[in-house]
Amino acid sequence: MKTLKERILADGVCIGTEIVKVDSFLNHQIDVALLDEIGKEFARRFSGQQVSKILTVEASGIAIACMAARHFGNIPVVFAKKASPNTMTEDLYGAEVKSFTKGTVSVVRVSKRFLNPEDRVLILDDFLAHGEAAIGMAELVRQAGAELIGVGAVIEKQFQGGGKRLREKGCRIESLAIIESIKDGKINFLK
Amino acid sequence: MKTLKERILADGVCIGTEIVKVDSFLNHQIDVALLDEIGKEFARRFSGQQVSKILTVEASGIAIACMAARHFGNIPVVFAKKASPNTMTEDLYGAEVKSFTKGTVSVVRVSKRFLNPEDRVLILDDFLAHGEAAIGMAELVRQAGAELIGVGAVIEKQFQGGGKRLREKGCRIESLAIIESIKDGKINFLK
């Protein structure tokens, strides 16, 4: 997605070889017009798939999921909540998610009322890095007996392997900007 | 806002005399079409105020803020992040927020890059209860030297006093549904 890549190059800030900060337009301050374009593009890529629900995880995924849902005919958005591992109850689906940057393990949870076997679920998130969050959400979909249509990421950091892991599991991934590497403060997109 | 009140009566679940759960359409599963109506109504109420930025706090405020921003001409949304009190740095505005339900104190933070003295800020959130979150966000606006235009809440629980506290400080509050009391599992709206 050209506009997005241009924006990442213009306003993204590289930290070392692993991190690109996009907090001026994606996950702290939000450019709503850009998000609208992003949502439209996800709807184009997953058109004809009869997606019935968008699943994301708090916090930054929520904006992306809601702006996208409009372009899928206002289907419901469900956002998984992050909690400490010891607070699971029977009314919730839950999956562990490891954070490589923070070195912690949390649990993402969704109420059983909001994911059903009839659902055709699209997972959306801001980043696809090591893939832990997406794999956790896919596990929630599996627990619900729902169908996983695919995973859409605004930015995939290919060098962290999450996309590869998910594709090897047979999951369809659509990433709007794929970063191959970050070197000497320069972002290299996959051609 | 009539549609909203009807929806709260239809799908809200009362727990005791203090809590109404609206997680089937507002803060876990999200009805994007309803949020679009809510955003339109906030824009109507704050029209002519030249709002330049919408400030909210993660997580459930993000959906409301983004859907509303479209009706304010795609102005930027900034969401404050919640963190533990010991992680403040010089690059951030920060304010303490007490949680009555959880009995904890957290800090809401915003990067100094995203709130400026020129900003005319509207604070939006899902609930206005004791007012702690809104007062914390108002403090961030004050630290930035920006102008606070007002606070918009989807649901105000009048009996918890947050609206009164803020109005007494001279803050303009617009709540789309004001709950006067919850008694015997019945929600009573302010006439």
Side-chain angles (χ1 to χ4, degrees):
Chain A
M1 191 181 159
K2 195 162 169 279
T3 352
L4 173 65
K5 288 183 191 169
E6 285 169 358
R7 187 61 174 274
I8 296 168
L9 291 177
D11 294 337
V13 177
C14 300
I15 301 174
T17 56
E18 304 249 316
I19 295 168
V20 53
K21 268 181 78 174
V22 288
D23 63 351
S24 64
F25 60 97
L26 195 62
N27 50 23
H28 186 9
Q29 180 167 254
I30 298 170
D31 180 335
V32 173
L34 177 68
L35 239 58
D36 193 45
E37 288 301 313
I38 285 170
K40 198 181 289 178
E41 178 63 14
F42 280 132
R44 192 185 67 78
R45 296 200 187 191
F46 289 100
S47 70
Q49 296 298 306
Q50 294 160 291
V51 175
S52 71
K53 213 161 260 181
I54 295 176
L55 177 65
T56 188
V57 62
E58 61 182 10
S60 34
I62 297 173
I64 294 153
C66 287
M67 295 299 287
R70 295 181 51 244
H71 297 283
F72 284 87
N74 283 336
I75 56 174
V77 167
V78 175
F79 67 87
K81 303 193 176 194
K82 284 178 194 161
S84 50
N86 59 353
T87 52
M88 297 298 301
T89 85
E90 278 182 16
D91 307 327
L92 302 161
Y93 300 119
E96 287 198 349
V97 172
K98 203 178 350 179
S99 167
F100 282 84
T101 35
K102 294 179 192 163
T104 56
V105 175
S106 60
V107 169
V108 290
R109 308 187 307 181
V110 163
S111 167
K112 290 187 178 174
R113 290 174 292 142
F114 305 137
L115 279 181
N116 311 299
E118 300 75 38
D119 277 322
R120 297 174 59 82
V121 181
L122 172 62
I123 292 171
L124 293 183
D125 210 350
D126 52 352
F127 275 97
L128 175 57
H130 295 94
E132 293 292 329
I135 289 168
M137 285 189 274
E139 168 61 18
L140 300 177
V141 174
R142 193 200 61 77
Q143 286 174 21
E147 185 159 355
L148 179 61
I149 301 302
V151 172
V154 178
I155 302 172
E156 178 179 343
K157 294 195 282 184
Q158 196 192 40
F159 56 91
Q160 289 176 328
K164 189 163 180 279
R165 282 174 71 189
L166 279 154
R167 287 180 185 100
E168 281 171 1
K169 286 172 189 277
C171 182
R172 178 177 172 193
I173 311 285
E174 293 288 346
S175 304
L176 307 190
I178 302 179
I179 299 176
E180 211 171 36
S181 66
I182 304 170
K183 273 178 192 153
D184 305 325
K186 195 176 165 297
I187 294 166
N188 303 296
F189 290 110
L190 184 71
K191 290 286 177 285
Chain B
M1 191 181 160
K2 195 162 169 279
T3 352
L4 174 66
K5 288 182 190 170
E6 286 169 358
R7 187 61 174 273
I8 295 168
L9 291 177
D11 294 338
V13 176
C14 299
I15 301 174
T17 57
E18 305 249 316
I19 295 168
V20 52
K21 268 181 78 173
V22 288
D23 63 351
S24 65
F25 60 95
L26 195 62
N27 49 23
H28 186 9
Q29 181 167 254
I30 298 170
D31 180 335
V32 173
L34 177 68
L35 240 59
D36 194 44
E37 289 302 311
I38 285 170
K40 199 182 287 177
E41 178 63 15
F42 280 131
R44 192 186 66 77
R45 296 200 187 190
F46 289 100
S47 70
Q49 297 299 306
Q50 294 160 290
V51 176
S52 71
K53 213 161 261 181
I54 295 176
L55 176 64
T56 190
V57 61
E58 61 182 10
S60 34
I62 298 173
I64 294 153
C66 287
M67 295 299 287
R70 295 180 51 243
H71 297 284
F72 284 87
N74 283 336
I75 55 175
V77 167
V78 175
F79 66 89
K81 303 192 175 195
K82 285 178 192 159
S84 49
N86 59 354
T87 52
M88 298 298 302
T89 84
E90 279 183 14
D91 307 326
L92 302 161
Y93 300 120
E96 287 197 350
V97 172
K98 203 177 353 177
S99 166
F100 282 83
T101 36
K102 294 180 192 161
T104 55
V105 175
S106 60
V107 169
V108 290
R109 309 187 306 181
V110 163
S111 167
K112 291 187 177 173
R113 288 173 293 143
F114 305 137
L115 279 181
N116 311 299
E118 300 76 37
D119 276 322
R120 297 174 59 83
V121 181
L122 172 62
I123 292 172
L124 292 182
D125 211 349
D126 52 351
F127 276 97
L128 175 59
H130 295 94
E132 293 292 328
I135 289 168
M137 284 190 274
E139 168 61 18
L140 300 178
V141 174
R142 193 199 62 74
Q143 287 174 21
E147 185 159 355
L148 179 61
I149 300 304
V151 173
V154 178
I155 302 172
E156 178 179 342
K157 294 194 284 184
Q158 195 191 39
F159 56 92
Q160 290 178 327
K164 187 163 182 279
R165 282 174 72 189
L166 280 154
R167 287 181 184 99
E168 281 171 1
K169 287 172 188 278
C171 182
R172 178 176 172 194
I173 311 285
E174 293 287 347
S175 304
L176 305 190
I178 302 180
I179 299 177
E180 211 171 35
S181 66
I182 305 170
K183 274 178 191 153
D184 304 326
K186 195 177 165 297
I187 295 166
N188 303 296
F189 289 110
L190 183 72
K191 291 284 179 282

